[in-house]
Amino acid sequence: MRAGITQVLDRYRRAFLLFTPGQKVVAIVGTAALLLAAFMVFRWAAAPSYAPLYSNLSSEDASAVVDQLDADGIPYEIGGGGGTISVPRDQVYSTRISLSGEGIPSASGDSGYGLLDEQDISTSQFKEQTDFKRAMEGELAATIEAIDGVDTAVVHLALPPKQVFLEEQDPATASVLVDTGGNQLGPDQVQAIVNLVASSIDGLEPAKVTVADATGRVLSDNGDSASGLSSSRNRQVQDYQDQLGSKAQQMLDQIFGPGHSSVQVTAVLDFDKKTTETTTYSRKKDAPTLSESVQSETYSGGATPGTTPGGVVGPDSQLETGAGGTGDGSYQNSSTVRENGVDKVVEQSETAPGTVSSLHAAVVIDTASKQAVDAAQINDLVASAIGLDTERGDTIETSSIPFDTSVADANAAALAAAKSAEAAATRNTWIRNGVLAGGVLLLVGLAWRRSRKNAQAREDATSYVVEQLRQEQASRALQAAEAPTSLALPAFVEPVDGMRDELVALVERQPDEVASLLRGWLVERPS
C-alpha cells in the first residue's frame, strides 16, 4: 500500500517536473483555488445556524453576556447595533438557562412586566406607579415591534392620577414613535397601532393616541384634529373615486384597447351624520275600543214663587222674568267618552357619514382607436358600471379627441433600448466567457499535448539509452568470453528494469545533461 502511494506520488512529481514554468504556475494556482473553494464549501456546510439569544440588551448586559460566553467557549454573533446576541440554534435554551443561573442579564436591563418582579412591601407608591407605567410602555413597544414593517417602537404614556373628589378626570394620552427602516406604514397598520394602545390602557381614547415615524411625520389622524380629519376624508374620497374609475377603465380597455381611453370619476360624499325620527298614526274602522266613560246628570223640581218659568239666566245668577212663561224646572244631561285603538309607528333612521351626494364622470376616447365611438352608448355603459343616477344630479360626458402619445412612445423606445442593451450585455458576457473558456481549454490542450510529446520523447530516450546499454553489456560479455581463461572475469548483467527506473530518474533530474549525452552518442554512432 505504501509502495503504491509512493509510486503514484512519484509519477505526479515527475509529470509536474516536465511542465514549463507557465504550466507550473497555472497548475499551482488552479490547485490552490480548488483547495480554497473546497475549504469554503466545507466551512459553509459545517457552520452552525445561529438564533437570537437576547435582543434589545443594554450595553452593560451585552458586555456581561459576551464575557460569560467567552468564558464558556460558546460561539456567538453580535447584531442589532450591539443589542442582539445570537448563538447556535441548538444551544439557545441551554445557554439562556445557564446565564440566568449566573444572574445575566441583570434586572436593570429588563423591560415590560419584568420590572415588577423586584417590588416588595417597602416599595413606595410613586415607585410602584412609575414601574407600572414603564412596564406598560415596554410591553406595548414589544407588541408594536411584532407588526410587519416596524423595526423599533418607543411608547410614552401620560397617565394622570385619579382624583376621587373631582367630577372630571384628566384624560390619559399616549405617544408612539416607530422606526420603519425607510418603509411606509399603511393606514390600516397605523390604525391598528392606535387601537392596540388605546385598548391596553384604561380610559385611553383612540383620539388621544399620536403615532409618528422616525422622520417626525405624524401618521395618526386624531379625531380632534381638523387637519387629520380632513386628510382621512380626502383619502376615503380618493379611494372611492379610484375604485369606480378602475371599474370603468377596465371595461373601456376591453372595448378600445389599452391606452386608447381615459375615464375620471369625481365623487361628492356627505360626511354629515343625520338622525331622523318619524311617527305615523293610522286608524282602522274596526279598531277595538280600549276604554269608554259615560256620564249622566238629571235635575227635577218646581218653579220658584214670584218668577216666571222659562226665563234666561242672567249675569247675577237670577232668572229674569218673562211674560207668560211657565215651566217645571227639570234638567237632564249625559256625555260619553270612548277611546279606540290607534296604530302608531315610530321610525328612527341614522344616516352614516360618507353617503354619495353626487357622481360626475368624464370619458375621453382616442380618435386613433379602431372602434367606432358612440357617445350615447358609452354614457350608458359607464353610468351602469359606476352607478350614476341622473335624478340625483349625476352627470357624465364623453368626448373623442386625439391622444398625445409622445411620452408613451419615448418610454417605449427607452424600454426597447434598455432591453436591447441588456441583451447585448448578456450576449457579450456569454461571448467573453466562451472565449475565456476556449482559451483555457486551448491552453490545457496544448499543455497536455506538450506533456505527451515530452513523455514520448522521454520514453524514446530511455529506450534508446537502455538499448545502448544492453548492446554495450552484450559486447562486453562477448569480449570477456573471447579473452583467455586466466584473464576472464565473471560477467555481471544489471537488471534491465532497475536500470530503466534509474535512467528515468536521471532524465528527470538532469534533462540537459542527458540530452547532451544522447546527442554525443548519435554523433559517434557507428555506421
Side-chain angles (χ1 to χ4, degrees):
M1 180 68 180
R2 183 176 180 181
I5 296 175
T6 303
Q7 291 180 359
V8 172
L9 294 178
D10 290 340
R11 185 167 62 250
Y12 282 123
R13 182 176 60 82
R14 291 194 299 268
F16 179 77
L17 293 175
L18 294 176
F19 287 170
T20 62
Q23 293 175 348
K24 292 180 180 180
V25 172
V26 172
I28 294 174
V29 173
T31 304
L34 182 62
L35 294 176
L36 180 61
F39 173 74
M40 295 300 294
V41 171
F42 175 76
R43 183 178 180 182
W44 171 77
S49 177
Y50 284 83
L53 178 65
Y54 293 109
S55 300
N56 298 327
L57 290 175
S58 62
S59 57
E60 295 81 2
D61 291 338
S63 176
V65 171
V66 168
D67 292 342
Q68 188 63 33
L69 292 178
D70 289 335
D72 296 340
I74 300 176
Y76 60 88
E77 291 181 352
I78 301 177
T84 301
I85 299 177
S86 302
V87 298
R89 189 176 298 275
D90 56 348
Q91 301 181 12
V92 171
Y93 299 106
S94 59
T95 305
R96 191 174 295 171
I97 293 174
S98 176
L99 293 177
S100 298
E102 299 293 336
I104 302 173
S106 62
S108 60
D110 290 343
S111 62
Y113 292 125
L115 294 171
L116 305 179
D117 296 338
E118 300 298 326
Q119 292 186 355
D120 51 22
I121 193 173
S122 62
T123 303
S124 63
Q125 183 179 4
F126 174 76
K127 188 176 186 304
E128 181 180 357
Q129 294 176 353
T130 303
D131 289 346
F132 175 76
K133 187 170 75 70
R134 291 176 56 196
M136 292 299 299
E137 292 174 349
E139 292 294 331
L140 288 174
T143 305
I144 294 173
E145 289 175 356
I147 299 177
D148 293 338
V150 178
D151 295 339
T152 308
V154 180
V155 180
H156 295 287
L157 300 177
L159 305 178
K162 294 184 178 181
Q163 303 294 334
V164 181
F165 301 103
L166 291 180
E167 296 181 356
E168 295 183 359
Q169 176 70 26
D170 294 336
T173 58
S175 60
V176 181
L177 180 65
V178 294
D179 182 10
T180 59
N183 300 324
Q184 186 174 1
L185 296 179
D188 296 338
Q189 292 177 306
V190 176
Q191 190 63 36
I193 295 175
V194 171
N195 294 338
L196 181 66
V197 176
S199 302
S200 303
I201 304 300
D202 184 19
L204 179 59
E205 299 180 358
K208 300 297 182 181
V209 179
T210 302
V211 181
D213 60 5
T215 61
R217 185 167 58 94
V218 178
L219 304 179
S220 60
D221 295 335
N222 297 331
D224 57 349
S225 175
S227 60
L229 184 60
S230 176
S231 176
S232 176
R233 291 179 177 179
N234 292 336
R235 186 168 57 248
Q236 294 180 22
V237 173
Q238 187 63 41
D239 293 342
Y240 184 66
Q241 292 178 166
D242 294 342
Q243 179 183 2
L244 296 181
S246 177
K247 293 171 60 178
Q249 188 65 55
Q250 290 178 3
M251 181 185 64
L252 294 176
D253 289 343
Q254 293 293 330
I255 299 175
F256 301 101
H260 293 287
S261 62
S262 178
V263 59
Q264 295 292 332
V265 179
T266 301
V268 180
L269 304 183
D270 185 8
F271 290 96
D272 295 336
K273 183 178 180 180
K274 300 178 182 179
T275 303
T276 304
E277 181 176 352
T278 304
T279 304
T280 305
Y281 296 94
S282 63
R283 178 182 178 185
K284 299 180 180 179
K285 294 182 179 180
D286 55 350
T289 302
L290 299 180
S291 63
E292 183 176 359
S293 175
V294 179
Q295 183 177 4
S296 177
E297 182 180 359
T298 304
Y299 175 76
S300 62
T304 302
T307 63
T308 302
V312 180
V313 179
D316 296 345
S317 300
Q318 296 178 357
L319 294 176
E320 297 182 356
T321 304
T326 61
D328 56 1
S330 299
Y331 171 76
Q332 185 177 1
N333 184 24
S334 63
S335 62
T336 302
V337 179
R338 183 180 295 110
E339 294 183 1
N340 296 325
V342 179
D343 292 340
K344 179 182 179 182
V345 180
V346 179
E347 296 180 354
Q348 291 184 351
S349 61
E350 182 175 338
T351 303
T355 58
V356 180
S357 298
S358 62
L359 292 176
H360 306 279
V363 181
V364 181
I365 308 298
D366 188 8
T367 54
S369 175
K370 299 179 181 180
Q371 300 294 333
V373 179
D374 187 355
Q377 187 177 8
I378 296 300
N379 290 342
D380 295 339
L381 291 176
V382 175
S384 300
I386 63 177
L388 287 177
D389 187 1
T390 55
E391 297 181 356
R392 187 176 54 190
D394 299 349
T395 59
I396 181 173
E397 293 290 339
T398 300
S399 302
S400 179
I401 58 176
F403 281 14
D404 182 10
T405 59
S406 59
V407 177
D409 295 340
N411 293 336
L415 181 61
K419 289 183 178 179
S420 177
E422 183 179 0
T426 303
R427 183 172 60 254
N428 294 334
T429 302
W430 280 104
I431 293 174
R432 184 176 65 254
N433 294 338
V435 171
L436 292 177
V440 172
L441 292 177
L442 180 61
L443 292 177
V444 172
L446 293 176
W448 177 79
R449 183 179 178 182
R450 185 168 182 177
S451 64
R452 293 291 299 174
K453 290 177 66 177
N454 293 336
Q456 186 66 31
R458 186 173 66 253
E459 290 291 335
D460 295 342
T462 304
S463 300
Y464 178 78
V465 172
V466 171
E467 183 65 24
Q468 292 294 327
L469 292 177
R470 183 183 290 111
Q471 292 178 3
E472 184 177 353
Q473 285 183 351
S475 61
R476 189 180 302 170
L478 182 61
Q479 292 177 1
E482 293 178 353
T485 306
S486 59
L487 299 177
L489 296 175
F492 176 76
V493 179
E494 187 177 355
V496 177
D497 295 336
M499 185 186 301
R500 180 184 297 273
D501 294 338
E502 292 180 1
L503 288 175
V504 169
L506 178 62
V507 170
E508 291 176 353
R509 289 195 303 271
Q510 300 176 353
D512 296 335
E513 289 78 357
V514 172
S516 300
L517 178 62
L518 290 176
R519 283 193 295 269
W521 282 352
L522 292 175
V523 172
E524 299 175 358
R525 185 175 182 178
S527 58

